[in-house]
Amino acid sequence: MTKPTDLLDSFGRKHDYLRLSITDSCNFRCLYCMPDEPFKSTPSIELMKSQEIFEISKIFVQQFNINKIRITGGEPLVRNDFETIIQQISTLGASIGITTNGVLLHKYFDLFKKCGVRNLNISIDSLDREKFKYITKRDLFQTVWDNIKESIKRGFNVKLNVVVMRGFNEDEIPEFIALSHHYPIELRFIEFMPFTGNSWEKNKVIPISEMLTLVAEHFTFEKVEDHKNDTSRKYRIDAESKGVFGLISTMSNSFCAGCNRIRITSDGKMKNCLFGADEFDLLKSFRNNESLTELIKLGIIKKHKEKGGQFSEMENVNNQKIINRSMIKIGG
Ligand code: SAM
Ligand code: SF4
């Protein structure tokens, strides 16, 4: 086996974190994620098979020192062979996290324990059943909430992802943050981001500065130390709090300078940035029995300094001009 090398881009950023989308199907229809037009998920023949997911991931871990893999989608837990995928990936030795809408979590707690999966990021944008239904188009708040509580009880590291959209859920930020007093979790408030077909508008984004002002009206809070490569800036509302809250400012103040992420879409394209137009067809090369090494290196070298080279300041974003996929087809 050849000696592993670090995946460095032309700005000296080291990439050791792979976000792996395994499907673009989903049992939710979140309004900020799915495109507005009728949505068709990719035919299964074009998706990476479980063995392909494993072999391609293995190259990243063994040749390029990737030490962290996050499985995402679409909704990763809807894939029929999810169990096989997790079992295979867990043999690679990288830390594994799952990003999920939480609906099917109860089916997989034992598998996660067996495979050493500790980190669960669960999306929940409202604590109000009706609003939850409006955002996701599914009346499944209670199932998700029960699974969140069960995940905490079972000792998983739980982060709750909340996409904040003006006029939808910013009024719930205090209620969400209050959860961090009682539960050992991280609440993560994410600025609404533009993707193909998601009707993004600048005025729907609540910048983190505004979120902090809102929080200050309800709580005193203190800064908590962030880890290297963290996308969220973390705070604690009181010394007795079991958990923390974090703010993710992709739009108002990006963290591109510390980016260590590479993405693979469920149809096997490597994306070097969430907002990048460039895609590198790993699956095609893999199916042609070609080596992926040079293609992966090329994909990293072509990485832009910031936001896929497509925009910088939020003020100047024109979502119609950004060349990308819908979020569900990228994998968050
Ligand atoms: N289905 C899983 C879930 O919902 O957690 C995983 C895939 S989802 C695309 C990953 C994350 O992206 C979720 O936390 C979701 O809230 C977030 N997301 C989707 N569209 C977004 C947008 N337009 N702006 C910000 N975050 C978004
Ligand atoms: Fe599905 Fe997750 Fe997108 Fe919601 S955010 S539609 S749950 S992939």
Side-chain angles (χ1 to χ4, degrees):
M1 201 172 69
T2 48
K3 203 164 160 277
T5 50
D6 288 341
L7 265 184
L8 292 173
D9 71 4
S10 50
F11 303 95
R13 291 174 294 200
K14 181 177 154 187
H15 294 73
D16 53 12
Y17 180 10
L18 179 63
R19 295 184 74 111
L20 187 58
S21 175
I22 61 169
T23 181
D24 60 4
S25 297
C26 190
N27 43 4
F28 275 10
R29 293 286 177 274
C30 301
L31 52 87
Y32 49 72
C33 176
M34 298 282 264
D36 290 336
E37 69 270 14
F39 176 78
K40 270 212 183 97
S41 41
T42 305
S44 55
I45 182 79
E46 291 169 33
L47 295 178
M48 291 185 288
K49 297 187 180 68
S50 59
Q51 191 63 27
E52 291 169 333
I53 292 174
F54 173 66
E55 296 293 345
I56 292 173
S57 304
K58 190 160 92 176
I59 293 171
F60 278 91
V61 172
Q62 295 188 346
Q63 288 188 30
F64 294 113
N65 291 326
I66 295 295
N67 54 35
K68 189 170 162 189
I69 298 178
R70 175 160 293 280
I71 315 271
T72 180
E75 174 48 41
L77 307 193
V78 301
R79 229 182 115 139
N80 290 335
D81 54 356
F82 178 72
E83 186 167 340
T84 309
I85 292 170
I86 289 295
Q87 278 170 344
Q88 288 178 318
I89 297 277
S90 71
T91 62
L92 293 175
S95 97
I96 309 176
I98 313 281
T99 302
T100 172
N101 61 27
V103 173
L104 298 174
L105 266 175
H106 51 279
K107 287 173 64 179
Y108 295 111
F109 287 131
D110 293 337
L111 174 73
F112 291 157
K113 280 273 145 122
K114 202 172 91 193
C115 295
V117 176
R118 306 269 315 115
N119 304 314
L120 301 181
N121 288 12
I122 308 170
S123 302
I124 180 162
D125 305 305
S126 177
L127 297 170
D128 174 88
R129 179 180 157 188
E130 283 307 316
K131 227 196 275 181
F132 182 94
K133 187 173 154 192
Y134 179 77
I135 294 171
T136 62
K137 315 283 187 301
R138 299 290 184 268
D139 192 7
L140 287 167
F141 170 78
Q142 200 54 50
T143 309
V144 172
W145 183 237
D146 289 346
N147 278 340
I148 288 172
K149 285 195 291 190
E150 189 61 23
S151 307
I152 298 168
K153 200 169 131 199
R154 287 175 180 247
F156 289 99
N157 299 327
V158 174
K159 295 182 182 173
L160 299 187
N161 285 352
V162 183
V163 179
V164 183
M165 292 176 69
R166 193 179 302 283
F168 283 99
N169 56 357
E170 75 271 36
D171 56 327
E172 292 193 58
I173 290 177
E175 204 183 333
F176 270 115
I177 288 185
L179 296 173
S180 71
H181 179 79
H182 302 288
Y183 296 109
I185 55 177
E186 179 183 338
L187 269 313
R188 302 176 355 133
F189 299 101
I190 306 172
E191 290 176 349
F192 178 35
M193 296 183 270
F195 296 102
T196 302
N198 77 348
S199 303
W200 181 90
E201 285 168 31
K202 193 170 49 195
N203 60 18
K204 288 189 195 157
V205 179
I206 312 252
I208 66 159
S209 54
E210 194 179 327
M211 293 190 209
L212 274 180
T213 307
L214 215 151
V215 178
E217 287 168 13
H218 295 82
F219 305 99
T220 52
F221 54 90
E222 59 182 24
K223 186 80 191 73
V224 174
E225 199 186 333
D226 298 316
H227 298 126
K228 190 174 152 265
N229 305 123
D230 268 358
T231 49
S232 74
R233 285 149 219 208
K234 288 191 278 303
Y235 302 85
R236 187 188 301 281
I237 48 172
D238 59 61
E240 278 78 50
S241 272
K242 293 190 175 144
V244 296
F245 73 93
L247 306 174
I248 303 187
S249 62
T250 319
M251 297 310 297
S252 66
N253 187 358
S254 85
F255 31 80
C256 300
C259 184
N260 65 339
R261 295 164 166 69
I262 308 153
R263 298 184 140 77
I264 303 180
T265 60
S266 55
D267 56 351
K269 313 279 193 309
M270 170 173 157
K271 277 177 86 73
N272 57 25
C273 173
L274 185 57
F275 295 113
D278 295 336
E279 298 189 348
F280 303 85
D281 198 341
L282 302 184
L283 183 58
K284 185 169 165 216
S285 292
F286 186 82
R287 287 183 177 173
N288 287 338
N289 286 321
E290 294 158 10
S291 160
L292 301 191
T293 312
E294 292 311 313
L295 189 56
I296 292 171
K297 285 185 186 165
L298 176 73
I300 284 296
I301 283 299
K302 288 199 133 194
K303 180 161 175 153
H304 291 263
K305 187 173 177 196
E306 192 184 5
K307 291 172 180 146
Q310 301 220 57
F311 61 94
S312 177
E313 299 303 313
M314 179 163 79
E315 300 310 312
N316 307 328
V317 174
N318 177 349
N319 198 16
Q320 307 306 321
K321 291 205 173 140
I322 297 177
I323 302 162
N324 202 353
R325 299 175 173 221
S326 56
M327 178 55 132
I328 194 161
K329 284 206 176 275
I330 301 171

